[in-house]
Amino acid sequence: MKRTLALAALALAATTTLHAQTPFLTPAAPPDCDAGTPGAVSVLGAIRCSGSWDGNNKNQTANVISQIAQDWGTTFQLSNIADAGSTDADENAGPFQTFANVSDGTLSFRTPQTGFFVVALKGARAFSLYLFDGGQAGISSFSFTTVGVETNVPGLSHATLYTMRSTLVPTTPVPEPSTYALLATGLAGLGAIARRRRTS
């Protein structure tokens, strides 16, 4: 709950895109990633977007990860680089179940994506990044458009999923019942020893 509220506050505190700092990626020519009517963020059901960025996101993974961290907070990082996958045919569609080389349509995941994740949409010579919150229930599919990628609204070259781990809410290990039993036994033993010393 705190994690969701913190991200909501972050989303409300800034505009749809963030480029105040020096970007890790090279900005592409317009449009903005939220281009279109309705805007691409609304069409996708995303929270925020970043871009559009020049080139292919798959050829500059380290910079994409750095850009995500800069735009949406250093508390987010890829949970596992192997979890990032694309719709490309050579990767057997990665985490996506469906894919079509069109400018708009639906992308479906093989398994619902929970928590925060980013999807890069690549078309022609540019790509944009979109931040989602799948919550606990997860997102199984979403409508997409490449109107926020390039002015000519290209067909989707590929979509890439970046799964992320939030450290906004640190987790505290909860001791198992056996740990409490061992602690109680130890304390009882110490108490017994102290009593014996007093009586002798």
Side-chain angles (χ1 to χ4, degrees):
M1 179 68 176
K2 289 181 182 178
R3 181 182 79 153
T4 304
L5 292 174
L7 186 65
L10 173 69
L12 291 173
T15 58
T16 303
T17 58
L18 293 175
H19 300 288
Q21 299 171 311
T22 303
F24 289 90
L25 299 167
T26 304
D32 183 274
C33 59
D34 196 27
T37 306
V41 169
S42 176
V43 171
L44 273 70
I47 300 171
R48 306 272 305 279
C49 72
S50 175
S52 78
W53 302 108
D54 190 44
N56 186 340
N57 63 294
K58 292 177 64 180
N59 295 339
Q60 43 191 335
T61 301
N63 285 343
V64 170
I65 293 168
S66 296
Q67 191 66 51
I68 290 169
Q70 177 176 292
D71 284 352
W72 297 313
T74 55
T75 55
F76 299 103
Q77 61 186 6
L78 283 173
S79 60
N80 182 342
I81 196 67
D83 289 341
S86 294
T87 55
D88 300 67
D90 62 331
E91 295 182 18
N92 196 25
F96 298 92
Q97 189 171 26
T98 59
F99 169 68
N101 188 14
V102 293
S103 60
D104 59 76
T106 301
L107 280 171
S108 299
F109 295 110
R110 292 184 191 279
T111 58
Q113 297 300 309
T114 58
F116 299 110
F117 61 92
V118 170
V119 173
L121 298 181
K122 160 76 167 66
R125 299 175 309 272
F127 66 95
S128 291
L129 303 168
Y130 295 90
L131 173 67
F132 292 83
D133 182 3
Q136 292 183 343
I139 294 175
S140 298
S141 65
F142 63 92
S143 298
F144 76 89
T145 177
T146 60
V147 69
V149 175
E150 275 207 350
T151 306
N152 63 358
V153 192
L156 182 67
S157 169
H158 62 258
T160 306
L161 172 67
Y162 300 90
T163 56
M164 306 171 81
R165 180 174 59 85
S166 170
T167 55
L168 283 175
V169 182
T171 56
T172 304
V174 178
E176 295 180 15
S178 59
T179 306
Y180 286 120
L182 184 61
L183 178 63
T185 304
L187 290 174
L190 287 173
I193 292 170
R195 268 183 288 210
R196 282 184 191 162
R197 286 187 179 168
R198 278 190 225 144
T199 57
S200 55

